[in-house]
Amino acid sequence: MKLNISMPMERLIFFKKKLGLEDKEMKRLNPYRNFFVSKKDDFSAFFHRYFLEIPETRIILEYKKERNRLPMKIWPRWFESLFKKELDEGLMAFLWRSGLVHVEEKIDQRFINLGYAVVRQFCQKTAEEGIPSGDLNPVMRSIDKIIDFCVLAK
C-alpha cells in the first residue's frame, strides 16, 4: 500500500529548529563526516544482525529478502545520508519518505523506535572508537539531535 501523503516541510523545519540543528551544530560533524560514512557497511551489518535476533523482525527481513527488497542495500545508504551532507530539504525529504515506508510496511512503531535507539548505540560506540575525547561530547550531541530529528520526521 503506497501512501500519498504530502511532506510537511514546514513542520520538519520547525522540528529542526526546535532541536537546535542549525548550521553551527551541523558543522561540528564536518571533520568526522568521512569517518562515519566509512562505517556505513559496518552499520548495516550490525543493524541486520541485531534485528535478525528478534523473531518478529526476522520475519520481516526474511519476507523482504524473498521479494528481493534487501534492507542491507538500503541501510548503508540511509546511514551515509545522515553524515554525507547538511540536514537540508533534500535530506529531510529522504528521511520523511523513509518514515512513510515504515508505515506502508506496517512495521510496529516500537520496533522503529528500537531501531533508532540501536542507531544511536552504534554511533556512540563508533564515535568513542574514532573521535578524539575533546570532540567526542559535542559531536555526539549533534548526532543525538540528528537521530532525534529522524524520529520526529517519520
Side-chain angles (χ1 to χ4, degrees):
M1 167 185 85
K2 282 280 187 195
L3 296 175
N4 188 16
I5 301 172
S6 60
M7 183 177 52
M9 186 55 73
E10 286 181 23
R11 188 178 333 150
L12 295 176
I13 291 170
F14 170 81
F15 287 140
K16 179 182 172 187
K17 287 180 181 176
K18 286 307 227 181
L19 289 171
L21 278 167
E22 303 302 324
D23 290 340
K24 177 184 170 189
E25 190 78 33
M26 297 303 293
K27 288 189 187 326
R28 272 193 194 128
L29 297 176
N30 285 350
Y32 307 105
R33 288 184 187 281
N34 289 335
F35 169 70
F36 280 99
V37 167
S38 75
K39 302 297 183 182
K40 67 184 181 182
D41 293 324
D42 296 338
F43 164 76
S44 181
F46 170 79
F47 204 71
H48 191 254
R49 279 190 312 271
Y50 186 92
F51 282 102
L52 272 179
E53 293 177 8
I54 301 170
E56 295 88 348
T57 53
R58 183 176 50 245
I59 291 168
I60 295 168
L61 294 174
E62 289 171 355
Y63 173 74
K64 287 184 169 287
K65 184 177 179 181
E66 288 173 11
R67 298 190 65 206
N68 203 25
R69 296 173 67 198
L70 299 174
M72 290 287 290
K73 291 183 180 183
I74 297 166
W75 291 333
R77 181 173 169 240
W78 179 87
F79 186 79
E80 176 183 44
S81 74
L82 299 182
F83 297 101
K84 198 160 187 172
K85 60 180 185 169
E86 303 294 321
L87 185 57
D88 61 8
E89 287 190 14
L91 179 53
M92 287 190 282
F94 174 75
L95 295 172
W96 166 257
R97 285 189 301 274
S98 171
L100 283 181
V101 170
H102 297 147
V103 174
E104 290 168 356
E105 298 287 333
K106 298 179 177 137
I107 299 172
D108 185 324
Q109 183 64 44
R110 293 168 291 193
F111 289 118
I112 302 303
N113 291 344
L114 178 61
Y116 287 114
V118 171
V119 170
R120 190 180 313 271
Q121 290 170 0
F122 179 85
C123 288
Q124 288 169 346
K125 183 177 182 290
T126 300
E128 288 169 358
E129 293 170 356
I131 295 183
S133 60
D135 286 346
L136 184 59
N137 286 334
V139 167
M140 272 314 304
R141 278 195 306 272
S142 296
I143 291 170
D144 283 343
K145 289 179 181 184
I146 292 169
I147 294 168
D148 290 341
F149 180 83
C150 291
V151 171
L152 293 168
K154 54 174 198 51

